[in-house]
Amino acid sequence: MRAFFASWLPSPTTANRREQLRAAAGALLGIMLTAVLSKALLQSTHAAVFLVAPIGASSVLLFALPASPLAQPWSVIGGNVVSGLVGAACVRWLGDTLPLPLLAGAACGGAIAAMFVMRCLHPPGGAVALTTVIGGGVVQAAGFEFVLMTVLADSVLLVLMAITYNNLTGRAYPHQQQHAHVNPHATKDAVPTVRLGFKPEDLDAVLQQHNQVLDISRDDLESLFMQTEQRAYQRRFGIINCADIMSRDIVSAEFGTGLEEAWQQMRAHRVAALPVLNRARRVIGIVTQTDFLEHGGLDDYRGIRQQLRRFLRKSGVTHTEKAEVVGQIMSANPTTARTDTPIVDLVPLMADSGFHHIPIVDHEQRFVGIVTQSDLVAALYESRFAEAAA
């Protein structure tokens, strides 16, 4: 019996205590402010109700599961309003002909069907539809007005609270979906990480066969699988960190380094990029040969030597639109990794996103080295060679 009832319990949540408190505090503030603002907005309209109970269920999704497809702005606003309209329509046109249990079922079933069609599935929407049926004479009398005023106002206000609170507390909302695997070189080849292992179409086929609504987006599910594969690789072949393979004696530049000096450094050391550091040795940018070519207008191979010289040469005036220093052409806020970052975490960045150089920083975010594609390839080769030799 104990095992039977234990099977009813869900698995323990992976969210730590801090995340649990963050979600609870968000719901507290969100509902409180929604109630205050909704009352202030609706009191002049003589609305019968200014806060509906299903909004409490919406707050659970918005603050505890902000990455869920069921908690995105259109899901919340569209799901609640569409469901309310279906429920109000059932009361208006079927209320006198159907008994209450059947009317309630028709409202909830119709709401689910409508949310599927409108791509705004939101569980509290079923409660909104039911509220229009059993909410009492005042709600039934208000009908569509109840939905288009109270439900709509509550939903919009709560979503605005969720956008503000989640982003202020480190949770991106609305949740951005992963980009498609686009080849950075604009060719038809699949990106390297999907040429081996499972492919996106494999996941699509399994999800279609599963044929159920999942409370996680397809893109996030794919990302979790990829991260799981990376951890399995680390367990099998060992963990190699960036500190183990990075180049440490690195030529760098500052914001005010002249373009000619930076170009000469790259030529002298035969490197394709220079990390740009501030005086605290924190990475503020990276300048590559591509930056020089793009900003120098060197897309025409004819006369490229003269154009490059003209671009690198100082103008000699104090005010000019021509770029004079590295800081004017660098890529600001480049992607970095820490010394303890496993190198397998760099594979998607370098293989799929097209990064050729990843600056490495320590725990104080100070620059200590750089990892290039050559470093990564050599390290992965050595790890597999060592495994084969063993």
Side-chain angles (χ1 to χ4, degrees):
M1 289 296 293
R2 178 178 298 179
F4 174 75
F5 286 111
S7 65
W8 293 13
L9 296 175
S11 301
T13 178
T14 57
N16 59 26
R17 188 69 63 189
R18 181 176 180 179
E19 173 60 17
Q20 295 173 22
L21 292 175
R22 188 202 68 83
L28 185 154
L29 293 173
I31 292 295
M32 180 181 67
L33 293 176
T34 296
V36 171
L37 294 176
S38 182
K39 184 176 181 180
L41 289 172
L42 298 177
Q43 63 182 359
S44 61
T45 64
H46 306 290
V49 182
F50 66 87
L51 187 68
V52 293
I55 290 296
S58 294
S59 71
V60 176
L61 290 169
L62 282 167
F63 296 101
L65 292 85
S68 169
L70 308 179
Q72 301 315 297
W74 171 240
S75 298
V76 178
I77 299 172
N80 284 338
V81 172
V82 167
S83 298
L85 292 175
V86 170
C90 288
V91 172
R92 171 77 59 91
W93 293 307
L94 301 176
D96 296 332
T97 59
L98 295 179
L100 182 59
L102 186 55
L103 183 63
C108 290
I112 292 174
M115 286 189 287
F116 269 120
V117 172
M118 299 297 291
R119 295 179 59 185
C120 57
L121 193 64
H122 185 59
V128 174
L130 189 61
T131 299
T132 61
V133 175
I134 64 172
V138 175
V139 171
Q140 292 182 356
F144 295 112
E145 182 180 328
F146 164 74
V147 178
L148 296 176
M149 293 181 63
T150 302
V151 174
L152 177 60
D154 289 351
S155 300
V156 170
L157 289 171
L158 190 63
V159 166
L160 292 177
M161 300 303 164
I163 292 174
T164 303
Y165 180 83
N166 283 325
N167 285 284
L168 287 176
T169 56
R171 291 290 179 268
Y173 182 83
H175 182 63
Q176 298 296 321
Q177 300 301 313
Q178 304 292 326
H179 295 295
H181 298 288
V182 179
N183 192 310
H185 305 294
T187 65
K188 295 181 180 179
D189 286 329
V191 294
T193 56
V194 299
R195 296 176 195 171
L196 296 174
F198 81 89
K199 297 183 178 181
E201 49 266 32
D202 296 328
L203 180 59
D204 293 335
V206 171
L207 290 176
Q208 186 174 7
Q209 183 180 7
H210 186 66
N211 194 31
Q212 293 185 40
V213 177
L214 298 179
D215 195 12
I216 183 174
S217 69
R218 175 222 173 276
D219 299 324
D220 286 343
L221 187 61
E222 181 181 355
S223 177
L224 290 174
F225 283 148
M226 292 291 292
Q227 294 177 48
T228 302
E229 281 190 339
Q230 292 175 7
R231 291 185 65 87
Y233 181 94
Q234 293 174 20
R235 184 178 64 254
R236 181 178 179 186
F237 298 107
I239 299 177
I240 304 174
N241 294 328
C242 291
D244 299 323
I245 70 168
M246 70 182 184
S247 301
R248 300 173 183 270
D249 184 17
I250 303 299
V251 181
S252 62
E254 296 181 353
F255 186 97
T257 301
L259 296 181
E260 185 173 7
E261 179 185 350
W263 179 261
Q264 289 176 350
Q265 287 183 333
M266 293 170 68
R267 294 273 292 173
H269 293 276
R270 296 184 179 182
V271 295
L274 294 179
V276 183
L277 314 179
N278 61 16
R279 294 190 177 182
R281 293 194 61 78
R282 290 189 170 88
V283 181
I284 60 172
I286 190 168
V287 62
T288 67
Q289 291 179 347
T290 301
D291 293 322
F292 280 90
L293 296 177
E294 289 182 351
H295 288 83
L298 305 175
D299 52 350
D300 185 357
Y301 70 91
R302 293 170 297 183
I304 188 172
R305 183 184 298 274
Q306 290 77 13
Q307 293 182 58
L308 181 59
R309 286 177 177 173
R310 191 181 307 115
F311 176 64
L312 297 179
R313 189 181 303 119
K314 292 183 179 180
S315 63
V317 297
T318 57
H319 296 83
T320 175
E321 293 183 357
K322 174 185 173 298
E324 299 280 342
V325 298
V326 165
Q328 294 175 287
I329 69 170
M330 71 179 186
S331 300
N333 302 315
T335 298
T336 62
R338 289 178 48 134
T339 52
D340 57 355
T341 299
I343 62 171
V344 294
D345 291 352
L346 303 186
V347 172
L349 295 174
M350 290 187 165
D352 296 352
S353 300
F355 293 117
H356 299 279
H357 312 80
I358 303 292
I360 307 302
V361 299
D362 60 17
H363 66 283
E364 294 181 345
Q365 298 300 311
R366 298 184 190 277
F367 175 75
V368 293
I370 199 166
V371 172
T372 67
Q373 287 182 328
S374 299
D375 297 327
L376 187 64
V377 169
L380 293 175
Y381 169 79
E382 288 295 335
S383 67
R384 294 301 298 268
F385 183 77
E387 175 70 14

